[in-house]
Amino acid sequence: MQETVQAATSAQTLTVALIGNPNTGKSTLFNSLCGGKARVGNFPGVTVEKKVGKYRFGDRNITLIDLPGTYSLSPRSDDEMVSVDVLLGRKKEVTAPDAVVCIVDASNLERNLYLFSQIRDLNLPTVLVLNMWDVANSRGVQIDVEQLSERLGVPVVTTSAHRREGIEGVTAAVLQAVENPGTKAVRLFPAEFYDEAQKLDEWLVSNGEPATHLFLRERMLLDIRGASEDAASQADQSKLKAYLEEARGRLAASGHRIPAIETKLRYDWIRQQLDGVFTRSETDHRLSASDRIDKILTHKVTGMIVFALIMLLIFQAIYTWSGPFMEMVEGLQNGANEIVGGMMGPGTLRSLLVDGIIAGVGSVIIFLPQIVMLFAFISILEDCGYMARAAFLMDKLMTKVGLSGKSFLPLMSSFACAIPGVMATRVIENRRDRMVTMLIAPLMSCSARLPVYMLMIYTFIPASLLFGFLSLRGTVLFSMYAIGAVLAIPIAWLFKKTLFKGETPPFVMELPPYKWPSPKIVFDRVYDRSKAFVVRAGTLIFAVTVVVWALGYFPGDHTTQHQLAQQIETLQASPEENAEEIDKLSAEYDDVSGALIRESYLGRMGKAIEPVVKPLGWDWRIGIGAVASFPAREVIISTMGTIFSLGGEVDEEDPSLKDALSNATWPDGRPLFTVPVALSIMVFFALCAQCGATLMVIRRETNSWRWPIFTFVYMTGLAYIAALLTYQIGTSLMG
Amino acid sequence: MSDVLQMIPMDMLQKNESGRIVEIVGPHDWKHRLQELGLRDGAIVRVVKPGTPAIIAIDGHRFSFRSDPNTVVLVELLPA
């Protein structure tokens, strides 16, 4: 029998777990305690973010573990199980906590104490933090804190974390709780229930599962088909399920129906604890400021208009503000090329550095500004509370295809990146709806597609105005983002009608009060997500770039090419006198380079696939780009950068890919890129499933290879057909 | 029970009407989830915005609410 969790840390260092309902200001409290110094990782095998911060308090080192916001400790999934495992010290990656800080919204104690009452069953030193104290006071909520602390048997602290008020008191209270562990957990349940928990222990021991924490056994009894059953890994799962059924049957026979008994008893207990301690002087009939905003933002007409305007604004802003940043990155690229050119003469190594690495990685990093901006907008909308309203608005639309508003958030996140989007589908309780949402999430235009759109738009779409006020380029960008989302509607409907038949799921979601977004939280999120993008650009893209460069460089003989380059560079020391000579040699150089790339391994592969991509208006170089970008969409940019740079189509004066594409031609001299070609490339990339990481995440989430393969096949087919239509119709329209 | 005025499904409440939750009838796991969110027996619900989905207020919190066809939240109508 192991009734208490062993404290694993010395007196000098304390490990504290922080837990609370969603929207109680938990992140704000975490940041004020740790001063923003936190290590963010992931628990292996699940999608729960592991956030650990450290700070000093007097002579103590405190390690703070931030657990995901939750309404209860009834683990229904492996994700929710993580919090229980951490609290019970069953996770190897984190030390068992010495204390728990449970943060609640002071004006909503009746509901928030539900989680607290479950935490008390863990028998750990616990502190209750009544956050948003200032808001509660202004709402006329009065709480006798001392009396409440006495009744609950734990220290109670009041804070207003967003104003940094009362933060010091939290750690002081933790120390107090650790030093005087105080009362044992309240035994809310009837004696029969504890007898069953005891019997379950005996049953588990006899089935080879020794020493299960009482809390886990209680959860096994209370949560039908819950995740806590998996904790008994030694016992036979089907036997355990059968035994739990029997035990629940026995309890029901004695008048204690599971799971209704839990909510009833806990809420009864909360009512007793709060009786005479918690008063609300005013009823809740007054319209709050949030309600007044909601009158407009959740209205079916004005709400939709505002929603559409916000989306349009985001895309226009991303487009217009990122120009100067892009020029800056281009400048850096030029500088790097000059440094390399100054250090060594033409040769294989210089070609690798200039044509391979700088051209490849540079052409991806150039899009970092837009990606940062997109992440910033999404984080701001999440943090100020608008995202929940967007889900509310979208519920009407989602029910038409048989999904609920809950599917909107994962889809919206997928506009930043499909990986967190697919992971976010875990908030959807119903398996069928989760599957459908997961399969359409990659259709949303993620940030990796943005570089492709930007390059094509920037190079081929004229900077004119539509109707005199909308930028044509911004509108094309918006259309590219819309195409996947629009097509997702019939596809989702089709999936719900065929593969995943089922009723429309219910939709109950909290709408947090609006607040000004916290710069710190937004900055952290943007930083983490952008860092992930840069790391990808730095590793995966770098590797692919080098491979593509090698395939495009070998097996040709580059002696003549390097000699020509050397001659040109010598003559360029005095360009005026040698202008003619330079022009002649440059043309010769371009011919030689073009021939070399056509003969290379890459050229041969490209020629082989050209018939397939020709109907889309593509030549072999674009085809190779599309094939090479299978691991990640943004690779197409670096691949094209490398191919066109090796082919000598990149002007010495201006090494940007943009100019190379504008100058590219078919062998008969026709320009390779026309507006329909640019559009067909964009449409293809808007709809294809060129992202190995997303497919791997779908595999992990569905636990089978079937669905990632299915996703890849249906999306690639869709992309090909749509690109074909775009090019053919576009060409016939343009004459 | 107090003198119950009338028991009606929650979705029949008009704008700004309040009701006290008497019982939730439906599949037990979904019921449990609703109760953890705060739709517990005895809680007072006010309809902020009727419709599907509706916006309801419980203890000063706002929720979007659209139930599944098999679940009914029964409330007793409270006098305004």
Side-chain angles (χ1 to χ4, degrees):
Chain A
M1 288 299 292
Q2 185 197 358
E3 291 294 319
T4 50
V5 179
Q6 287 301 310
T9 38
S10 72
Q12 287 310 308
T13 57
L14 277 183
T15 306
V16 180
L18 177 62
I19 195 163
N21 282 190
N23 312 313
T24 46
K26 195 165 58 66
S27 313
T28 316
L29 180 68
F30 182 92
N31 286 338
S32 353
L33 283 169
C34 301
K37 283 193 290 292
R39 281 183 303 117
V40 180
N42 244 352
F43 285 105
V46 286
T47 51
V48 178
E49 200 175 65
K50 183 174 100 191
K51 208 167 152 194
V52 180
K54 285 187 183 345
Y55 65 101
R56 277 192 72 83
F57 185 83
D59 60 341
R60 303 285 193 118
N61 290 316
I62 315 264
T63 305
L64 193 62
I65 307 167
D66 189 21
L67 294 172
T70 176
Y71 293 106
S72 83
L73 273 187
S74 322
R76 288 185 185 73
S77 66
D78 295 349
D79 282 37
E80 293 175 332
M81 193 65 200
V82 169
S83 296
V84 175
D85 282 342
V86 169
L87 289 166
L88 293 175
R90 291 165 41 92
K91 276 269 170 231
K92 285 187 208 65
E93 304 81 37
V94 285
T95 1
D98 302 295
V100 190
V101 170
C102 178
I103 179 171
V104 298
D105 172 356
S107 42
N108 192 4
L109 278 185
E110 302 100 319
R111 191 189 76 199
N112 280 211
L113 285 181
Y114 188 92
L115 175 66
F116 172 82
S117 87
Q118 289 179 319
I119 287 171
R120 286 297 286 134
D121 289 347
L122 293 163
N123 257 330
L124 278 167
T126 307
V127 171
L128 179 65
V129 174
L130 307 179
N131 194 25
M132 312 197 199
W133 187 241
D134 51 342
V135 179
N137 285 338
S138 69
R139 279 192 186 168
V141 167
Q142 290 187 333
I143 302 172
D144 183 341
V145 178
E146 267 178 47
Q147 180 76 12
L148 182 67
S149 166
E150 197 143 313
R151 285 191 188 181
L152 299 177
V154 302
V156 178
V157 194
T158 60
T159 57
S160 307
H162 62 111
R163 296 188 183 178
R164 308 189 73 98
E165 284 167 13
I167 306 293
E168 294 286 308
V170 176
T171 317
V174 168
L175 298 183
Q176 185 195 329
V178 171
E179 275 147 28
N180 323 302
T183 48
K184 276 262 186 211
V186 201
R187 302 192 76 168
L188 298 178
F189 290 89
E192 290 93 336
F193 177 77
Y194 293 106
D195 290 347
E196 284 297 344
Q198 178 63 39
K199 277 192 211 148
L200 176 59
D201 187 48
E202 290 155 17
W203 185 90
L204 284 169
V205 170
S206 67
N207 280 272
E209 182 69 43
T212 326
H213 194 279
L214 172 64
F215 183 85
L216 278 177
R217 282 180 276 126
E218 290 178 0
R219 294 298 359 151
M220 285 182 205
L221 287 169
L222 290 170
D223 300 325
I224 300 168
R225 293 190 302 273
S228 48
E229 293 169 13
D230 305 339
S233 50
Q234 307 297 325
D236 179 334
Q237 286 292 314
S238 56
K239 271 194 201 164
L240 173 62
K241 279 190 174 44
Y243 177 83
L244 290 172
E245 277 302 313
E246 283 168 40
R248 290 184 199 124
R250 284 195 293 272
L251 284 168
S254 58
H256 309 299
R257 291 229 325 279
I258 301 239
I261 179 178
E262 181 183 15
T263 37
K264 184 177 178 316
L265 288 173
R266 290 199 194 277
Y267 280 124
D268 285 351
W269 176 81
I270 292 168
R271 217 164 302 155
Q272 286 162 16
Q273 302 307 303
L274 292 181
D275 185 35
V277 173
F278 176 88
T279 49
R280 222 188 269 273
S281 65
E282 53 172 279
T283 52
D284 159 53
H285 275 255
R286 208 170 46 111
L287 275 185
S288 67
S290 281
D291 287 338
R292 279 195 291 275
I293 301 174
D294 271 342
K295 265 197 152 58
I296 299 165
L297 294 191
T298 62
H299 187 273
K300 58 174 178 286
V301 179
T302 50
M304 277 316 234
I305 292 172
V306 171
F307 175 78
L309 283 176
I310 288 179
M311 295 298 138
L312 194 66
L313 174 85
I314 289 177
F315 294 119
Q316 291 277 348
I318 285 178
Y319 192 81
T320 38
W321 295 346
S322 51
F325 292 108
M326 291 171 75
E327 279 156 28
M328 218 165 64
V329 178
E330 260 177 33
L332 287 174
Q333 212 179 321
N334 284 349
N337 282 348
E338 270 166 31
I339 292 169
V340 172
M343 279 175 6
M344 55 183 89
T348 306
L349 180 61
R350 180 166 132 182
S351 172
L352 169 65
L353 289 174
V354 172
D355 300 326
I357 295 168
I358 298 174
V361 176
S363 38
V364 174
I365 294 294
I366 200 164
F367 299 102
L368 189 61
Q370 289 92 316
I371 285 161
V372 168
M373 262 187 254
L374 183 69
F375 284 151
F377 280 115
I378 287 183
S379 306
I380 289 169
L381 291 180
E382 275 174 356
D383 200 44
C384 71
Y386 184 75
M387 276 297 193
R389 272 73 184 182
F392 175 86
L393 279 174
M394 291 292 124
D395 183 67
K396 266 216 171 2
L397 184 71
M398 294 286 183
T399 47
K400 290 202 171 59
V401 297
L403 296 172
S404 84
K406 276 219 162 145
S407 296
F408 175 76
L409 293 172
L411 295 177
M412 184 70 207
S413 323
S414 300
F415 275 104
C417 174
I419 294 164
V422 167
M423 288 177 177
T425 57
R426 296 187 167 205
V427 302
I428 304 166
E429 291 98 348
N430 181 312
R431 186 192 151 268
R432 287 186 303 265
D433 303 312
R434 204 169 73 214
M435 286 300 302
V436 173
T437 311
M438 210 182 291
L439 294 180
I440 60 171
L443 281 172
M444 304 303 128
S445 230
C446 64
S447 52
R449 289 161 164 116
L450 192 59
V452 185
Y453 302 155
M454 293 305 274
L455 177 72
M456 293 293 144
I457 291 174
Y458 207 53
T459 317
F460 302 106
I461 307 290
S464 56
L465 289 180
L466 213 60
F467 316 119
F469 69 94
L470 272 182
S471 119
L472 177 64
R473 288 172 162 181
T475 313
V476 171
L477 182 64
F478 182 75
S479 319
M480 286 303 142
Y481 270 84
I483 185 174
V486 169
L487 279 173
I489 297 168
I491 290 170
W493 180 83
L494 198 69
F495 286 165
K496 268 304 273 202
K497 281 274 175 280
T498 53
L499 296 170
F500 304 100
K501 277 199 185 70
E503 283 173 337
T504 304
F507 173 57
V508 177
M509 202 171 88
E510 185 164 353
L511 303 170
Y514 289 104
K515 65 179 182 68
W516 288 107
S518 135
K520 171 92 190 72
I521 289 175
V522 170
F523 177 83
D524 280 353
R525 279 189 200 150
V526 173
Y527 177 79
D528 285 340
R529 291 170 182 178
S530 309
K531 196 172 104 183
F533 173 82
V534 173
V535 169
R536 260 162 62 106
T539 52
L540 174 73
I541 296 175
F542 178 83
V544 175
T545 299
V546 173
V547 170
V548 170
W549 170 84
L551 288 173
Y553 189 85
F554 298 106
D557 177 8
H558 290 259
T559 329
T560 332
Q561 188 197 21
H562 293 322
Q563 274 168 354
L564 283 168
Q566 193 65 59
Q567 283 171 320
I568 294 169
E569 271 168 48
T570 317
L571 290 170
Q572 269 174 340
S574 44
E576 291 79 20
E577 302 135 59
N578 305 322
E580 248 174 78
E581 186 68 6
I582 291 177
D583 282 351
K584 194 174 93 91
L585 287 174
S586 293
E588 208 175 318
Y589 175 84
D590 287 354
D591 286 345
V592 171
S593 304
L596 279 169
I597 184 136
R598 278 193 297 277
E599 287 158 21
S600 69
Y601 296 119
L602 201 61
R604 293 174 207 175
M605 283 194 261
K607 283 289 172 215
I609 60 163
E610 193 163 67
V612 182
V613 296
K614 212 154 184 171
L616 312 181
W618 302 2
D619 78 337
W620 65 271
R621 288 170 292 192
I622 308 172
I624 278 293
V627 172
S629 64
F630 168 72
R633 292 180 186 88
E634 56 273 43
V635 170
I636 185 167
I637 308 283
S638 53
T639 307
M640 295 214 289
T642 304
I643 295 178
F644 286 99
S645 179
L646 282 172
E649 311 229 10
V650 178
D651 189 357
E652 289 293 318
E653 295 301 305
D654 188 354
S656 82
L657 181 53
K658 215 172 75 198
D659 301 284
L661 297 183
S662 307
N663 302 334
T665 56
W666 287 96
D668 63 7
R670 279 182 302 130
L672 168 59
F673 287 90
T674 56
V675 171
V677 172
L679 288 174
S680 107
I681 293 175
M682 282 193 267
V683 167
F684 183 86
F685 274 85
L687 301 173
C688 70
Q690 309 271 73
C691 178
T694 301
L695 296 174
M696 289 313 287
V697 168
I698 293 178
R699 190 206 156 272
R700 203 176 68 185
E701 294 288 314
T702 57
N703 230 332
S704 87
W705 282 106
R706 199 170 127 200
W707 296 114
I709 291 169
F710 174 81
T711 308
F712 181 76
V713 171
Y714 101 80
M715 284 180 67
T716 308
L718 191 70
Y720 187 87
I721 294 166
L724 180 73
L725 290 174
T726 307
Y727 174 70
Q728 298 297 352
I729 295 170
T731 314
S732 61
L733 284 181
M734 309 225 0
Chain B
M1 284 305 313
S2 59
D3 49 328
V4 177
L5 280 159
Q6 55 185 131
M7 283 238 287
I8 54 171
M10 187 168 77
D11 47 347
M12 290 177 67
L13 289 174
Q14 303 292 307
K15 191 178 169 126
N16 284 331
E17 280 187 335
S18 304
R20 179 178 290 116
I21 297 181
V22 180
E23 197 187 353
I24 301 177
V25 185
H28 59 72
D29 44 354
W30 176 235
K31 234 167 90 167
H32 199 189
R33 182 65 103 182
L34 286 178
Q35 286 172 324
E36 285 173 351
L37 284 168
L39 276 94
R40 58 187 186 276
D41 297 355
I44 294 180
V45 189
R46 181 169 61 88
V47 173
V48 178
K49 184 189 166 86
T52 18
I55 297 182
I56 56 173
I58 298 179
D59 311 325
H61 278 239
R62 303 289 178 271
F63 287 92
S64 66
F65 185 86
R66 178 172 55 69
S67 193
D68 78 330
N70 317 319
T71 308
V72 181
V73 179
L74 291 170
V75 299
E76 54 169 318
L77 186 61
L78 294 174

